[in-house]
């Protein structure tokens, strides 16, 4: 997203405050749904004494830590920092934009959910894409940040499924 498109997005939210409220609510609900699904999923497979519990937990934890370390070292700026225009969601956080950790986490969790059910995994993968899109549209990440987060998350999730 270049500065012109970023400014257009932020101007849109500024002139459509009710839609911004809906977008923020959708973002929070989607993130909460994915993050509540993960412990529920782990509890479910643990109670079933499914050995995938250890794999899913380990792959998600290790990949999250490695992604976080990379983000810290790379310390890529967020759109609001690059363009000097505040995002639609006010944040004090600077840098550490690439890749999007929200997009990554949602994707890796969603792919792990395929272990239980294809429709469940597909539903949550769709929610992951919505989260990634909203992270961009609300000005929190560049497109490359969100797409990279999704792709890395999907890859790590598939690694968990095939181990």
């Amino acid at each position: 997203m270049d500065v012109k498109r970023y400014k257009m997005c932020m101007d849109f939210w500024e002139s459509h405050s009710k839609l911004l409220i809906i977008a923020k609510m959708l973002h929070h609900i989607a993130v909460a749904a994915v993050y509540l699904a993960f412990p529920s999923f782990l509890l479910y497979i643990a109670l079933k004494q499914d050995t995938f519990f250890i794999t899913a937990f380990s792959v998600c934890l290790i990949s999250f830590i490695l992604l976080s370390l990379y983000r810290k070292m790379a310390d890529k700026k967020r759109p609001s920092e690059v363009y000097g225009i505040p995002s639609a969601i006010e944040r004090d956080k600077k840098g550490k934009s690439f890749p999007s950790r929200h997009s990554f986490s949602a994707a890796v969790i969603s792919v792990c959910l395929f272990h239980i059910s294809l429709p469940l995994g597909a539903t949550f993968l769709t929610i992951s894409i919505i989260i990634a899109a909203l992270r961009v549209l609300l000005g929190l990440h560049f497109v490359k940040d969100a797409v990279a987060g999704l792709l890395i998350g999907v890859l790590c999730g598939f690694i968990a499924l095939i181990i």
Side-chain angles (χ1 to χ4, degrees), residues 15-135:
S15 62
H16 296 84
S17 59
K18 289 182 179 156
L19 287 177
L20 176 59
I21 291 168
I22 293 168
K24 285 179 178 181
M25 284 176 41
L26 179 59
H27 178 264
H28 290 300
I29 290 168
V31 168
V34 172
Y35 292 159
L36 289 173
F38 190 57
S40 302
F41 162 73
L42 290 176
L43 180 62
Y44 174 78
I45 61 174
L47 291 174
K48 284 184 62 180
Q49 297 180 344
D50 188 331
T51 57
F52 187 64
F53 172 86
I54 294 168
T55 303
F57 183 79
S58 300
V59 169
C60 289
L61 178 64
I62 291 167
S63 59
F64 182 83
I65 290 169
L66 291 174
L67 185 102
S68 297
L69 289 172
Y70 173 78
R71 276 170 44 111
K72 186 174 183 168
M73 289 186 312
D75 198 23
K76 301 288 185 184
K77 292 183 178 184
R78 295 177 179 271
S80 59
E81 295 173 89
V82 172
Y83 301 136
I85 302 167
S87 63
I89 296 179
E90 292 182 29
R91 298 184 54 117
D92 293 333
K93 195 173 192 176
K94 302 283 186 212
K96 301 181 189 105
S97 182
F98 180 84
S100 166
R101 206 163 40 190
H102 278 82
S103 299
F104 162 79
S105 298
V108 72
I109 291 166
S110 298
V111 174
C112 286
L113 291 173
F114 278 103
H115 179 74
I116 296 176
S117 153
L118 291 177
L120 183 65
T123 299
F124 276 89
L125 198 52
T126 302
I127 292 170
S128 300
I129 294 167
I130 291 168
I131 290 169
L134 286 170
R135 302 288 297 168

Side-chain angles (χ1 to χ4, degrees), residues 1-10 79 83 85 87 139:
M1 179 180 314
D2 60 13
V3 67
K4 182 179 174 184
R5 288 193 178 141
Y6 178 78
K7 184 168 178 9
M8 281 176 42
C9 279
M10 296 315 107
Y83 301 136
I85 302 167
S87 63

Side-chain angles (χ1 to χ4, degrees), residues 132-147:
L134 286 170
R135 302 288 297 168
V136 172
L137 293 172
L138 293 169
L140 299 168
H141 287 284
F142 289 104
V143 173
K144 66 180 179 185
D145 303 339
V147 171

